[in-house]
Amino acid sequence: AQSVSQHNHHVILSEAASLELGCNYSYGGTVNLFWYVQYPGQHLQLLLKYFSGDPLVKGIKGFEAEFIKSKFSFNLRKPSVQWSDTAEYFCAVKWKTSYDKVIFGPGTSLSVIP
Amino acid sequence: EAGVTQSPTHLIKTRGQQATLRCSPISGHTSVYWYQQALGLGLQFLLWYDEGEERNRGNFPPRFSGRQFPNYSSELNVNALELEDSALYLCASSFFGTSGGETQYFGPGTRLLVL
């Protein structure tokens, strides 16, 4: 069955630290990949997406992600986090082999300490 | 451009009652997805509507149902409410862009509390 996993349930960082959140999906095929963010009290917002082409994609607010097909991974990175990055981060995958739903990972809660 | 809207923002019901949640997609989007976000369980896919038809449903019992109207807005109905139905219900609308992929945009959600 299709599944998406995120490596960390909760991450705590100090401001200016670098961030990497892991995301893996269950098996190959052509995929669309997404990272969404949910700030406290706000709704889910799209951070970035990958459909095809350059595997390194840049999103909003200084975030980027790298698609590594051989590892079925789409890790999210930011070189220097800010207190305002405190949020829940969700990785999501849509397999294009079937006209089907997007599957979300369980989420990673990021707390940034000033 | 207006985003995805959902109503009501909060809903309190008692066990056994029915709940109706509503969603209006972004203008031009024909697909609507419903998700349940229960505490600690992430987003669980509920239903997908496109062009007025149900295209897929997640692993939820039949008492979760819905429909999509000709203007692409959608309704989620939950019958015979149970305590564990308490959750945030998210609606997303989507479109297929010129890059060949589909992007979902989310509404603020309806928080359902079943007492």
Side-chain angles (χ1 to χ4, degrees):
Chain A
Q2 298 157 330
S3 66
V4 179
S5 61
Q6 293 183 234
H7 301 176
N8 309 96
H9 182 64
H10 195 181
V11 173
I12 303 173
L13 294 172
S14 298
E15 275 193 316
S18 64
L19 170 72
E20 180 158 4
L21 300 182
C23 171
N24 284 89
Y25 54 96
S26 54
Y27 64 89
T30 304
V31 291
N32 290 165
L33 302 161
F34 307 86
W35 275 98
Y36 286 88
V37 62
Q38 191 171 31
Y39 297 104
Q42 297 187 29
H43 61 277
L44 273 168
Q45 300 173 39
L46 181 69
L47 262 183
L48 47 79
K49 61 188 177 186
Y50 170 82
F51 289 158
S52 63
D54 188 345
L56 185 62
V57 293
K58 295 191 184 299
I60 60 172
K61 305 186 180 185
F63 286 91
E64 65 178 30
E66 184 176 14
F67 170 45
I68 303 179
K69 189 174 182 178
S70 61
K71 295 185 177 180
F72 306 138
S73 71
F74 189 55
N75 292 354
L76 180 71
R77 298 194 292 249
K78 186 171 184 178
S80 176
V81 294
Q82 301 172 320
W83 176 79
S84 58
D85 293 324
T86 295
E88 188 93 15
Y89 292 81
F90 295 92
C91 178
V93 181
K94 178 163 184 170
W95 281 265
K96 294 180 73 175
T97 49
S98 60
Y99 198 54
D100 210 345
K101 58 189 178 293
V102 173
I103 295 180
F104 282 77
T108 296
S109 175
L110 172 65
S111 298
V112 179
I113 302 168
Chain B
E1 180 186 276
V4 177
T5 59
Q6 292 186 245
S7 63
T9 54
H10 292 80
L11 191 56
I12 300 174
K13 295 285 186 177
T14 55
R15 285 175 59 189
Q17 286 189 312
Q18 180 200 35
T20 298
L21 289 64
R22 297 180 177 83
C23 171
S24 291
I26 292 171
S27 177
H29 291 192
T30 62
S31 275
V32 169
Y33 295 77
W34 286 96
Y35 294 87
Q36 182 193 68
Q37 189 178 19
L39 200 60
L41 292 180
L43 275 80
Q44 305 295 318
F45 167 72
L46 264 168
L47 289 159
W48 169 32
Y49 292 95
D50 182 59
E51 298 283 359
E53 297 202 7
E54 182 181 303
R55 301 293 185 179
N56 203 356
R57 66 180 293 127
N59 189 25
F60 281 84
R63 58 191 185 81
F64 286 84
S65 65
R67 54 182 171 166
Q68 187 178 32
F69 300 98
N71 66 354
Y72 303 116
S73 66
S74 177
E75 209 172 73
L76 173 68
N77 295 295
V78 188
N79 294 320
L81 283 165
E82 299 178 2
L83 297 178
E84 54 265 32
D85 296 334
S86 295
L88 180 66
Y89 289 84
L90 294 172
C91 170
S93 72
S94 73
F95 76 105
F96 282 87
T98 54
S99 53
E102 179 190 10
T103 303
Q104 293 187 12
Y105 295 88
F106 285 82
T110 292
R111 189 164 295 282
L112 173 64
L113 178 62
V114 182
L115 301 175

